[in-house]
Amino acid sequence: MKRLKLYKTQDLALLIVPVGSPLTQAMDTMNKSGQRLVYVCESNQRFVGILTDSDIRRFLLHEKLEGATVDAACNRAPKFVFSPKNTNQQAEDTLMDTGIDHIPVVDDGRLVASFYLAPLPRELPTVLIMAGGLGTRLRPLTDTCPKPMLKLAGKPILSHIIAQLNEHGFEDFVISLNYLGEQIVNYYGNGETMGVRIRYVRERKRLGTGGAISLLPADVTYPIVMINGDIITDLDVTALLDTHTQTGADATMVVRKHIVEVPYGVVVHDDQSRYLSSEEKPTLDFSINTGIYCLGARATAQIPHNSFFNLPSIFEDDADKQLKKHVFRHEGRWIDIGTMSQWEMAQDLFE
């Protein structure tokens, strides 16, 4: 979501560079303002034109930066220049429809303001990390250590997961515990050492891949992001959340491509054994479940309280089609540390 804002008076001066200024000054002004354009003006804010970062890149494709001024690169006839008579709604509609960053407001030749859209602050959802598994396939490593606490590059897997999500702004975490869970509580406490808030839910019995969701505190923020505690990924969680919201989904599953190479010629025939076709050593392309989800309150309401429940059932058993279900494709890094070979792959990656 976005909202309309207005640069004016002193704030507007942060976007202005004088005619004849070096191009490097305009670039420095953009860096300081955090915006992707400047306004080129004569004295007394007489409007000359707009200079965007795209204008600079196009200019530098053909000209040298040394000695270049803003006059040579700026757009002196921008498509949208408003007057004070234009309404906020007109400005918002134009910004939304065109995707441009700013609209200058010019009164009697003078730049007096600039419309732009700023992101609305939003409360990021709660993250649930499933960290209660036995890790049987990684024994003896997990005989005395819960799998999420196995160390990669000197830090537990769980620390890598929390840090990656925190880089996207997530601060509210709930960790589901079972096997050797007190080690996790003793290590992280309330999360203060990692700059986040951490709370815990405890599975007193095996609850499958999704039953722990029914134990979440009442004040979590929806939609929740859920991730297994043995996954190393560079997933853009912000993009996942945006896609979930834009599609109006109740449940979004993160998937990624998995290619299987068949080492033999594959033959197709009918039920009467008549040959139809064949393909030599084909590759099969699948979308696999990564163990990462974004779930709205309507979806989590389907999970029985404190009972065994496998999360993919939300997608499979919605007989009355009441839930909107989507997938989000992730093409980047993803390692599910469930076997010794995957553990070794993760170690190699961090080394």
Side-chain angles (χ1 to χ4, degrees):
M1 298 178 64
K2 294 178 179 262
R3 62 180 177 184
L4 189 72
K5 294 191 73 174
L6 199 65
Y7 267 113
K8 53 186 180 181
T9 59
Q10 292 180 342
D11 291 334
L12 185 61
L14 299 175
L15 300 182
I16 294 175
V17 293
V19 167
S21 299
L23 200 55
T24 52
Q25 181 179 333
M27 296 161 69
D28 185 54
T29 300
M30 289 183 196
N31 284 333
K32 289 178 179 177
S33 70
Q35 301 296 333
R36 299 191 300 173
L37 89 170
V38 293
Y39 293 120
V40 179
C41 293
E42 296 175 344
S43 60
N44 199 27
Q45 293 187 193
R46 303 294 298 180
F47 180 71
V48 174
I50 297 174
L51 178 65
T52 69
D53 56 352
S54 297
D55 293 328
I56 294 174
R57 286 195 297 271
R58 283 192 291 268
F59 178 82
L60 294 178
L61 285 174
H62 307 286
E63 306 291 341
K64 293 182 179 180
L65 178 61
E66 184 179 357
T69 66
V70 296
D71 307 50
C74 78
N75 177 8
R76 295 172 178 265
K79 186 173 181 180
F80 296 101
V81 177
F82 278 8
S83 78
K85 296 179 181 179
N86 287 98
T87 66
N88 286 11
Q89 190 60 55
Q90 286 174 311
E92 185 168 355
D93 290 345
T94 301
L95 289 163
M96 293 294 290
D97 291 344
T98 62
I100 60 176
D101 292 330
H102 281 255
I103 299 175
V105 181
V106 177
D107 185 18
D108 194 25
R110 293 181 61 250
L111 180 69
V112 295
S114 177
F115 283 113
Y116 73 104
L117 292 174
L120 276 174
R122 66 177 178 184
E123 186 178 11
L124 288 174
T126 301
V127 177
L128 172 63
I129 303 177
M130 307 295 285
L134 297 173
T136 53
R137 291 178 294 172
L138 286 178
R139 288 177 176 169
L141 296 178
T142 54
D143 283 343
T144 58
C145 178
K147 182 166 59 171
M149 295 301 291
L150 295 176
K151 290 188 176 181
L152 290 170
K155 295 193 301 184
I157 297 170
L158 202 50
S159 292
H160 292 287
I161 294 173
I162 293 170
Q164 195 262 342
L165 288 160
N166 187 231
E167 286 179 2
H168 286 269
F170 294 83
E171 297 179 338
D172 186 33
F173 292 81
V174 177
I175 300 177
S176 174
L177 305 174
N178 190 316
Y179 177 66
L180 300 178
E182 288 308 311
Q183 290 189 28
I184 296 174
V185 176
N186 292 339
Y187 190 91
Y188 293 102
N190 63 7
E192 183 177 1
T193 57
M194 293 203 68
V196 299
R197 177 171 77 153
I198 297 179
R199 293 175 287 173
Y200 304 92
V201 294
R202 289 170 172 80
E203 300 180 33
R204 304 300 181 184
K205 56 185 178 181
R206 306 306 298 170
L207 296 180
T209 59
I213 294 173
S214 69
L215 306 179
L216 284 172
D219 63 344
V220 299
T221 303
Y222 286 96
I224 64 168
V225 173
M226 200 198 97
I227 182 170
N228 290 335
D230 57 358
I231 290 174
I232 296 296
T233 181
D234 59 0
L235 173 70
D236 186 343
V237 192
T238 303
L240 165 64
L241 182 62
D242 289 343
T243 299
H244 177 88
T245 302
Q246 291 164 9
T247 58
D250 296 301
T252 301
M253 176 192 294
V254 179
V255 300
R256 79 187 303 269
K257 181 185 294 187
H258 182 71
I259 295 176
V260 177
E261 296 182 359
V262 180
Y264 309 103
V266 174
V267 178
V268 180
H269 57 82
D270 64 18
D271 55 5
Q272 296 180 354
S273 300
R274 288 180 297 205
Y275 175 92
L276 298 177
S277 65
S278 64
E279 184 177 357
E280 188 65 24
K281 298 181 180 179
T283 57
L284 306 178
D285 188 346
F286 300 97
S287 289
I288 63 170
N289 184 350
T290 65
I292 308 172
Y293 304 86
C294 192
L295 303 169
R298 274 170 37 93
T300 60
Q302 308 295 314
I303 300 173
H305 180 70
N306 200 30
S307 300
F308 187 92
F309 186 86
N310 279 329
L311 197 52
S313 299
I314 284 182
F315 296 83
E316 298 161 4
D317 298 341
D318 181 26
D320 54 4
K321 308 297 183 187
Q322 290 299 306
L323 299 179
K324 291 188 67 175
K325 297 163 287 187
H326 286 263
V327 298
F328 178 86
R329 298 185 183 278
H330 172 56
E331 303 295 341
R333 178 188 304 152
W334 177 80
I335 303 176
D336 176 6
I337 305 175
T339 66
M340 280 296 181
S341 63
Q342 291 161 334
W343 169 243
E344 291 166 1
M345 183 189 306
Q347 287 182 307
D348 290 343
L349 172 67
F350 279 87
E351 287 175 4

